Amino acid sequence: MKPANVYDVAAAAGVSTATVSRYFRSPEKLSQATLDLVREAVDRLGYLPSGMARGLAERQTGAVGLYSFSGHEPDELIDADRAADSEGPVRPRLYPLFADEVLRGVELECTLRRLPLVVGWQLGREAGISLDEIARRVDGVVVLPSTISEAQLAQLAKTKAVVLVSQPGGGRDGIDSVVVDNEGGMAALAEHLVHVHGVRALWYAGPENGYEHEARRRGLDSALARAGVPLPGPTVVDAGSRAASREIAARLLAAEEPPRAIVCASDQTALGVMEAVRAAGHRIPEDVIVTGFDGIDAGRLTDPGLTTVRQPMERLGRAAMGLLAERLADPGLGPRNPMLPVELLLRGSCGCGDGRPASISVS
Amino acid sequence: MKPANVYDVAAAAGVSTATVSRYFRSPEKLSQATLDLVREAVDRLGYLPSGMARGLAERQTGAVGLYSFSGHEPDELIDADRAADSEGPVRPRLYPLFADEVLRGVELECTLRRLPLVVGWQLGREAGISLDEIARRVDGVVVLPSTISEAQLAQLAKTKAVVLVSQPGGGRDGIDSVVVDNEGGMAALAEHLVHVHGVRALWYAGPENGYEHEARRRGLDSALARAGVPLPGPTVVDAGSRAASREIAARLLAAEEPPRAIVCASDQTALGVMEAVRAAGHRIPEDVIVTGFDGIDAGRLTDPGLTTVRQPMERLGRAAMGLLAERLADPGLGPRNPMLPVELLLRGSCGCGDGRPASISVS
DNA sequence: CTGAAAGCGCTAACAA
DNA sequence: TTGTTAGCGCTTTCAG
């Protein structure tokens, strides 16, 4: 039997559909007697107003969206069933990752603001959910770094509010953004390595595409240049891929002398690199220092702990959703593009942190 | 300027609205020439079909929902900004909790099945988002334990597919459920305490309302009865509240002799109890054994590690969304109510786990 | 392969 | 305070 609609309820209560609508939208405009009448009919029929019809009529969905890459590799996800529930010193699957923590912040903000959240994950290039599937259901969407082209984003921004996370909004109309100080964080890390640990020869591992990684590389290079240390060559490594990890190991074995440090563009890459360094027979940090970027939880659980630059991930999510909510409330706002500070986390993998990890605020 | 709709696109392309609709829904029915015509218009106008209008016309939303309690206390969430980004041996705010891990499983399954997910959290009794706000936007919803009455659930199930997590579906029509073996897990834990550690006097801490806790209590009592150990009295403690933790501490101080063990209905309660036990001047596990239930991550990070019963939380979420997707695909299905096995995790807080934690499968 | 037109269920003027 | 009615934007027969 198909669910009741306004007409059914109106007929059952002996009122008009407008009155039934008012019962939900502006009960204060109805008399007590009418209220009771409608309530009875609603309860009896188990009536739940359709969000689709309501959205159509109101010309807005009343919901917000989050679109993200999954952070995991497809095959890893498919196998997740097996991996998820085992336990050990090293987790079989990394969690929570950057995207998970940002999501938590977004959810939190949505809960506080009473906004239903529609989430969708991109998985690899083709799998998962498309941004359009999310966007068509919401008034505005927070977009995490994903393989969405600038053009698509600009197109979308014409009809929906868009807030970019970890990608510069570029002052484009209708596109807000929130980023962290990637450049400053990486520069601070580089200075630490050079001045405290005397590092003068290092490798850089990480994908070189994308705004975040470019900013990090820039921070690294400028700090090294200032310190008079030769810049590392480009090392392209796909974060998380086992092949990349093997490649690093092979390069280490092939090298006449291993670098004093390997600076990675992300913690996930760094965890793979740590494995590779050990596979090549070197000790961390005595032979090779390894550093990451992000501050995911897994970096605390390795031995030694991973020295890294921590992004305020949950805050990033909250800020992004906050910007979105504000824009929805006032579309006239100019573009906002805040930058959040990061924090240098010194743990064992750089040779610091005998005892508790130290943390240093940057920017 | 308001966003383009089908009519705009149809006019721009010189075709009918039906053709524009077919462009998206069944492109194989259109000639190449028409396809090109429409594509051009769509791109030029930045057209994104409205999910609301589509849902209305199709009589289904094409999305699924997840409704959950937040797992955190409201004040904790409000202050989250400050707490979220600090670091230390014990995290200022517990994460990920049960609900977070289940959510992850649900998201994962949605990603694989390409289903947009609408999430909403209840916060305390009144704050946060209401179940109706989620339900009206989706075809079916997964509901985590929350303060939703049986009556409301039954009402909702009349119009939407509902899958309960950690609550028995009770064979009701249209209500599926997935639970874990709470009773068996707690019984296994109790037997371990009695037979391995010789526990004969213990307290039970945890809220006594709700299906999960009732099942756990039942498992505890029956195992103790079988072993001829006197049953603990009821101890009602609101999980996570500081007042409850203080109360435990006070009771310990008032007691002539502390119990050999305090068995808790959840890890969150157990973490509070561990604090309380120490505050009362006792050592864990030498003086007092403390155990939890859930297997959240935070239980690994305490010193000593928390002995607990691990639920396969991610799998719970995946299973729930799987059931929902299947029912949506075939509404004729009878009620499904699977029970997932749990695992006993022996760590330091019961006196086991010199070295690596042991884990024992239950059921 | 394409078009015309009738809804889908709700809201919001506008009247009464 | 309540009712009438015209859309909201899309899909889907039914014709052609």
Side-chain angles (χ1 to χ4, degrees), chain A residues 257-324:
Chain A
E257 184 175 9
R260 180 67 191 93
I262 302 181
V263 171
C264 305
S266 78
D267 285 354
Q268 272 182 278
T269 300
L271 295 175
V273 165
M274 284 177 78
E275 260 179 49
V277 166
R278 291 216 172 88
H282 302 298
R283 292 164 306 166
I284 302 169
E286 293 82 354
D287 303 323
V288 180
I289 286 172
V290 177
T291 65
F293 201 112
D294 274 350
I296 63 174
D297 217 54
R300 303 198 300 175
L301 306 176
T302 54
D303 183 27
L306 181 64
T307 286
T308 190
V309 177
R310 175 173 167 76
Q311 310 192 46
M313 297 175 273
E314 175 168 326
R315 199 177 297 168
L316 211 46
R318 292 198 65 174
M321 186 46 73
L323 289 179
L324 181 56

Side-chain angles (χ1 to χ4, degrees), chain B residues 16 18-19 22 31 34 56 59:
Chain B
S16 72
T19 296
R22 289 189 188 105
S31 72
T34 310
L56 222 209
R59 265 157 287 257

Side-chain angles (χ1 to χ4, degrees), chain B residues 260 278 283-290 304 347-352:
Chain B
R260 181 66 192 92
R278 290 215 172 88
R283 293 163 306 166
I284 302 170
E286 294 84 352
D287 303 323
V288 180
I289 285 171
V290 177
R347 292 191 281 223
S349 75
C350 72
C352 285

Side-chain angles (χ1 to χ4, degrees), chain A residues 51-61, chain B residues 50 52-54 56-57:
Chain A
M52 302 297 105
R54 184 175 273 184
L56 223 209
E58 287 183 321
R59 265 156 284 256
Q60 59 171 38
T61 68
Chain B
S50 152
M52 303 297 106
R54 183 174 276 185
L56 222 209

Side-chain angles (χ1 to χ4, degrees), chain A residues 16 18-19 22 31 34 56-57 59:
Chain A
S16 71
T19 295
R22 287 188 189 106
S31 73
T34 310
L56 223 209
R59 265 156 284 256

Side-chain angles (χ1 to χ4, degrees), chain A residues 149-213:
Chain A
S149 74
E150 290 286 313
Q152 280 179 83
L153 241 24
Q155 183 83 311
L156 179 60
K158 286 197 254 178
T159 54
K160 302 280 178 179
V162 174
V163 177
L164 263 25
V165 172
S166 296
Q167 304 169 77
R172 281 168 292 184
D173 250 19
I175 302 199
D176 297 312
S177 71
V178 39
V179 298
V180 302
D181 187 6
N182 289 295
E183 189 165 347
M186 192 57 108
L189 174 60
E191 282 159 14
H192 173 81
L193 294 180
V194 170
H195 297 130
V196 176
H197 299 290
V199 171
R200 301 205 48 95
L202 52 83
W203 287 6
Y204 178 78
E208 300 202 295
N209 56 322
Y211 162 79
E212 292 178 88
H213 299 305

